[in-house]
Amino acid sequence: QSVLTQPPSASGTPGQRVTISCSGSSSNIGSNPVSWYQQLPGTAPKLLIYSDNLRPSGVPDRFSGSKSGTSASLAISGLQSEDEADYYCATWDDSLNGLFGGGTKLTVL
Amino acid sequence: QITLKESGPTLVKPTQTLTLTCTFSGFSLTASGVAVGWIRQPPGKALEWLALIYWDDDKRYSPSLKNRVTVTKGTSKNQVVLTMTNMNPVDTATYYCAHHHFGDFDYWGQGILVTVSS
């Protein structure tokens, strides 16, 4: 059971906007930056969002991140079929140990 | 171009010690702020953060595995070694190493599936 709580699944139709939540506590999300990773089927995870809301070079601006208090969110606008993947939030605890969320499987209907 | 690749046994027996090597290129583990981390993923399950070794040899371990996991720099300047003792079938997973900079894993290896079975 992960310390960071994500919904196990999410879904949307092409073109829609979907959001994925990540809930933590004051000792992790509340005091450290949040990252998001996308894992396409059968591949290694890919960094999607870092420092709460920044995109690495090459990540489309359809992907955005936000954080408020002890929760963070990933939003995907203009949903596309290739966005079907598992999404993980990540952060650190007060001892600088890494944490991953339980993951959310996004289905594009 | 940063690349990483995991190597080691794909099958280990219960109670044995697992040793995995991460061989990387395109960066130096002596550069300030750089680290290499290990993450694993049991089949069909979530990612689990295991360990991290920094350029200055500082190390961090998952509290739940701290007594079983050790991460060290390899004999070659471009290698990092993960050791996990007393392997159990629940440790069956794909093990990834990744380049870590400013708090994030921005480059990942392809992963190696390690099965624990007698």
Side-chain angles (χ1 to χ4, degrees):
Chain A
Q1 194 77 0
S2 177
V3 175
L4 304 180
T5 302
Q6 297 181 236
S9 63
S11 63
T13 56
Q16 261 190 333
R17 182 178 188 269
V18 298
T19 60
I20 298 171
S21 62
C22 177
S23 178
S25 70
S26 58
S27 65
N28 44 64
I29 290 179
S31 52
N32 292 292
V34 174
S35 307
W36 289 90
Y37 295 86
Q38 177 193 57
Q39 187 176 31
L40 297 171
T43 69
K46 168 191 169 184
L47 180 64
L48 203 62
I49 297 288
Y50 67 98
S51 295
D52 300 338
N53 56 16
L54 301 179
R55 285 185 307 276
S57 173
V59 173
D61 59 7
R62 302 187 295 105
F63 295 91
S64 61
S66 63
K67 187 174 82 173
S68 178
T70 59
S71 293
S73 292
L74 172 71
I76 309 172
S77 60
L79 195 63
Q80 299 180 3
S81 58
E82 56 259 41
D83 299 332
E84 190 160 287
D86 294 326
Y87 292 85
Y88 294 90
C89 61
T91 188
W92 304 88
D93 64 19
D94 288 348
S95 300
L96 297 181
N97 299 310
L99 299 168
F100 283 103
T104 298
K105 182 177 182 62
L106 175 64
T107 300
V108 181
L109 302 170
Chain B
Q1 180 189 3
I2 291 177
T3 64
L4 305 97
K5 187 172 184 179
E6 307 84 356
S7 61
T10 56
L11 178 66
V12 297
K13 290 180 168 46
T15 75
Q16 284 187 336
T17 294
L18 171 69
T19 299
L20 294 176
T21 299
C22 176
T23 302
F24 56 84
S25 64
F27 69 94
S28 171
L29 195 45
T30 60
S32 179
V34 173
V36 171
W38 288 93
I39 306 100
R40 72 178 178 179
Q41 184 173 37
K45 296 190 176 182
L47 301 172
E48 180 182 12
W49 189 95
L50 299 180
L52 196 63
I53 183 166
Y54 288 90
W55 85 101
D56 61 357
D57 214 39
D58 187 22
K59 299 164 189 176
R60 293 284 184 266
Y61 295 104
S62 166
S64 63
L65 292 168
K66 186 170 186 173
N67 293 334
R68 298 176 51 209
V69 171
T70 303
V71 61
T72 58
K73 294 179 181 178
T75 51
S76 297
K77 279 194 267 190
N78 66 335
Q79 290 186 329
V80 167
V81 177
L82 177 79
T83 303
M84 184 177 293
T85 61
N86 194 24
M87 293 292 284
N88 182 282
V90 299
D91 296 314
T92 293
T94 296
Y95 287 75
Y96 296 99
C97 64
H99 172 269
H100 180 274
H101 198 214
F102 292 128
D104 303 291
F105 295 114
D106 52 0
Y107 295 91
W108 294 64
Q110 64 187 29
I112 181 170
L113 175 60
V114 177
T115 301
V116 184
S117 174
S118 55

